[in-house]
Amino acid sequence: MSQALLTLDFLDKETPTPEATPSGEVRVSAATRTGRQRKLYIESYGCQMNFSDSEIVSSILFNEGFDTTDDLASADLVLLNTCSIREKAEQTVRMRLSQINSHKKRNPGLLVGVLGCMAERLKSKFLEEEKIVDLVVGPDAYRDLPQLISQVDGGQKGVNVLLSREETYADITPVRLNSNGVSAFISIMRGCDNMCSFCVVPFTRGRERSRDAHSILREAADLVAAGYKEVTLLGQNVDSYKWASADGTEHVNFAQLLEKVALVSPELRVRFSTSHPKDITDEVLHTMARYDNICKFIHLPAQSGNSRVLALMNRTYDRPWYEERVQAIRRILGDDCAISSDMISGFCTETEQEHQDTLSLMEFVKYDMAYMFFYSERPGTLAARKLIDDIPLEVKKRRLQEIIDLQQIHSAQRNQRGVGRVHQVLVENFSKRSKEHLSGRNSQNQVVIFPKQNFKKGDYVNVLVHSSTASTMLGEAV
């Protein structure tokens, strides 16, 4: 068996594009080793929602007799939890499936499945045309996995990509396989009702539905009892969270949920992602201001700094609206509140002046960090059906590089603000470069490195920062 099959080295074979993107991350679920008869290997691609979903899948299959393994060679079932947000993400998964299927020819008993967004979008290609997988399961059908695996064990193909208006997996306790033991994700809602013209999520994850608030609070309390110090509340658009009890006596919006989670424990840090500029309210911002344990960091994707382009993207806000929301953040939470963004270069018909508007918006906000992409047309989206992808690739890449270069300057400036100050840092792990240094994040999500002394993972440490780069702050415990 070739070594490349057992690693993710194939990800580095292409010349990397100059972008920073959450969809470039890949996680392999850690091994459980509880003696169960069958072994499950999961690779998760893309966003935090996918990483959270893999924990749900692991929990469902753990109860069906599967231990997880981080060794593909020992697996009985291989699942790739996929992302369709960009073409490159799909190409990456296809390359991996090709490798795994080469292995399967030598191990015909191996079952291979695709989960998540690509499963919903490419079900017929995977199963009927290309015949490269045994199992295709969409993001709302994970409860059906045991039955589908039984079908495959019996010689059939297994497929369920039906989208649901109710499924939230509220009663399933995720297996925290990839957690550092300090931070965990809590999914508070699924799906998306925003029909951004460039995005496949509404078609692959379905309509918005919010999870029972009581189940979220129970999960947060359980995490605190297990020693976790930080949770991130996840949703495609957390600001539109809205839950009501069956009898109509309880109604909880996102600001109220945020407060309830913050009150679970003053030692529990609370983060959330992602906010939509059209929906984030002053009520949310004032709630953040009232509680020290709600982190002062907001991911507020702009996508473009030009109102005409934003209208083509169907973002349902214009530049003045976005600027007003940034001003509200600064007014209520202060200049130290960190703001991050997503930016797309070279969207359909974008002119050079409209690209300059994106750069000027970045100058207006001065983001702490950003995920930056050039536009990649996704089949089935509104943009693919109605707009022409007419910006040459070399122009997209050049504009993207200008966005990246400016963001590097702003990230360095924002980190420099922290020099000479004391930051409360939650230790997450050792520094990547030295076991003699620890790494953690402050409330603003900035990475802080400092000598370990007697501190350990999970400690809150006050660190005086003495220097910084665009990505890191360095300091000493005080």
Side-chain angles (χ1 to χ4, degrees):
M1 189 181 306
S2 64
Q3 181 65 22
L5 175 67
L6 306 179
T7 71
L8 298 179
D9 293 344
F10 73 100
L11 288 169
D12 299 321
K13 290 181 180 178
E14 295 182 68
T15 302
T17 56
E19 54 192 310
T21 164
S23 60
E25 188 173 355
V26 184
R27 295 188 186 178
V28 177
S29 291
T32 49
R33 300 188 179 93
T34 66
R36 279 163 168 74
Q37 185 175 4
R38 302 179 79 178
K39 297 291 185 289
L40 164 67
Y41 175 94
I42 305 182
E43 281 180 15
S44 306
Y45 295 76
C47 65
Q48 292 176 336
M49 291 296 294
N50 271 5
F51 304 147
S52 178
D53 279 359
S54 289
E55 294 178 338
I56 291 170
V57 169
S58 298
S59 179
I60 291 170
L61 293 182
F62 185 81
N63 293 330
E64 294 294 320
F66 282 86
D67 262 338
T68 53
T69 178
D70 53 10
D71 175 22
L72 188 147
S74 67
D76 301 293
L77 170 63
V78 174
L79 297 177
L80 303 189
N81 195 354
T82 61
C83 174
S84 277
I85 196 71
R86 294 182 305 128
E87 182 179 6
K88 185 179 178 183
E90 290 195 0
Q91 291 173 347
T92 299
V93 171
R94 284 186 173 280
M95 289 172 65
R96 191 55 164 164
L97 282 172
S98 176
Q99 288 186 336
I100 291 169
N101 274 281
S102 295
H103 173 52
K104 185 174 179 176
K105 289 176 182 177
R106 298 186 291 274
N107 181 18
L110 178 68
L111 305 184
V112 180
V114 169
L115 310 178
C117 294
M118 278 182 73
E120 199 288 328
R121 201 177 77 76
L122 297 174
K123 53 188 178 293
S124 60
K125 277 185 172 293
F126 284 155
L127 278 174
E128 298 162 16
E129 296 176 30
E130 301 176 14
K131 298 187 169 104
I132 55 175
V133 298
D134 306 294
L135 195 67
V136 177
V137 186
D140 290 346
Y142 297 145
R143 291 182 196 271
D144 202 25
L145 269 165
Q147 176 186 328
L148 295 171
I149 291 168
S150 294
Q151 289 178 12
V152 175
D153 285 340
Q156 305 177 55
K157 296 292 185 180
V159 57
N160 185 344
V161 293
L162 295 177
L163 295 176
S164 168
R165 288 179 178 263
E166 291 82 34
E167 181 62 83
T168 63
Y169 302 109
D171 60 326
I172 295 176
T173 301
V175 178
R176 309 286 177 180
L177 294 173
N178 284 101
S179 172
N180 55 14
V182 175
S183 305
F185 299 132
I186 298 179
S187 178
I188 68 169
M189 60 189 300
R190 300 183 71 83
C192 184
D193 286 349
N194 298 310
M195 298 298 291
C196 300
S197 64
F198 54 80
C199 187
V200 298
V201 168
F203 305 104
T204 59
R205 286 190 170 266
R207 301 296 298 273
E208 282 179 0
R209 59 272 189 203
S210 296
R211 181 178 163 188
D212 183 314
H214 296 290
S215 72
I216 295 169
L217 296 175
R218 283 195 299 271
E219 187 171 341
D222 289 345
L223 287 166
V224 171
Y228 285 82
K229 297 292 185 70
E230 179 180 276
V231 295
T232 300
L233 307 181
L234 288 183
Q236 302 297 146
N237 177 17
V238 292
D239 304 290
S240 62
Y241 176 89
K242 188 179 295 183
W243 173 80
S245 61
D247 61 8
T249 59
E250 292 181 90
H251 294 82
V252 181
N253 65 18
F254 179 61
Q256 294 162 341
L257 177 70
L258 193 57
E259 180 172 51
K260 290 175 185 293
V261 176
L263 288 170
V264 167
S265 169
E267 292 296 305
L268 181 69
R269 272 189 178 174
V270 184
R271 301 185 185 274
F272 57 88
S273 185
T274 295
S275 288
H276 196 292
K278 74 177 176 63
D279 291 325
I280 190 168
T281 64
D282 285 4
E283 183 185 8
V284 168
L285 302 180
H286 283 297
T287 301
M288 293 177 67
R290 280 199 303 274
Y291 293 93
D292 290 339
N293 62 326
I294 300 179
C295 291
K296 305 307 184 276
F297 171 80
I298 299 174
H299 186 56
L300 195 69
Q303 308 296 0
S304 172
N306 177 267
S307 292
R308 186 191 75 88
V309 173
L310 288 170
L312 286 177
M313 291 177 168
N314 199 33
R315 292 290 285 172
T316 68
Y317 58 84
D318 57 14
R319 176 167 175 156
W321 174 279
Y322 188 92
E323 289 182 348
E324 190 280 327
R325 289 292 79 202
V326 171
Q327 289 168 336
I329 292 169
R330 297 296 183 221
R331 181 177 69 251
I332 296 169
L333 293 169
D335 289 341
D336 286 340
C337 181
I339 305 174
S340 63
S341 185
D342 296 345
M343 287 297 185
I344 298 175
S345 73
F347 189 68
C348 307
T349 73
E350 180 189 65
T351 67
E352 197 61 37
Q353 180 55 54
E354 289 165 341
H355 165 62
Q356 292 299 319
D357 289 344
T358 292
L359 298 178
S360 70
L361 179 66
M362 294 173 67
E363 291 283 11
F364 174 83
V365 180
K366 289 188 166 55
Y367 296 108
D368 291 73
M369 61 86 66
Y371 298 114
M372 298 160 284
F373 315 80
F374 60 75
Y375 174 61
S376 171
E377 183 177 271
R378 309 309 296 126
T381 59
L382 296 176
R385 296 201 300 268
K386 297 184 177 181
L387 301 173
I388 299 173
D389 182 10
D390 59 349
I391 308 300
L393 181 60
E394 61 272 18
V395 174
K396 291 180 182 180
K397 288 185 174 182
R398 189 259 302 163
R399 291 177 183 174
L400 174 61
Q401 191 60 57
E402 291 175 7
I403 290 171
I404 291 171
D405 291 345
L406 182 58
Q407 184 55 51
Q408 283 288 102
I409 294 170
H410 291 162
S411 293
Q413 290 174 347
R414 292 292 293 178
N415 276 357
Q416 181 64 31
R417 287 172 55 89
V419 174
R421 300 185 189 182
V422 174
H423 301 255
Q424 187 186 62
V425 177
L426 175 58
V427 179
E428 297 179 350
N429 223 318
F430 290 108
S431 166
K432 292 180 180 179
R433 295 187 178 182
S434 168
K435 295 295 185 183
E436 296 304 312
H437 289 75
L438 296 174
S439 173
R441 288 176 296 155
N442 62 9
S443 177
Q444 288 76 22
N445 208 39
Q446 294 162 314
V447 175
V448 183
I449 308 293
F450 61 97
K452 71 174 185 180
Q453 300 180 39
N454 296 319
F455 300 110
K456 63 185 184 303
K457 186 167 68 171
D459 286 345
Y460 285 107
V461 182
N462 289 324
V463 178
L464 174 63
V465 170
H466 55 66
S467 60
S468 69
T469 68
S471 59
T472 309
M473 298 196 294
L474 306 174
E476 302 279 343
V478 294

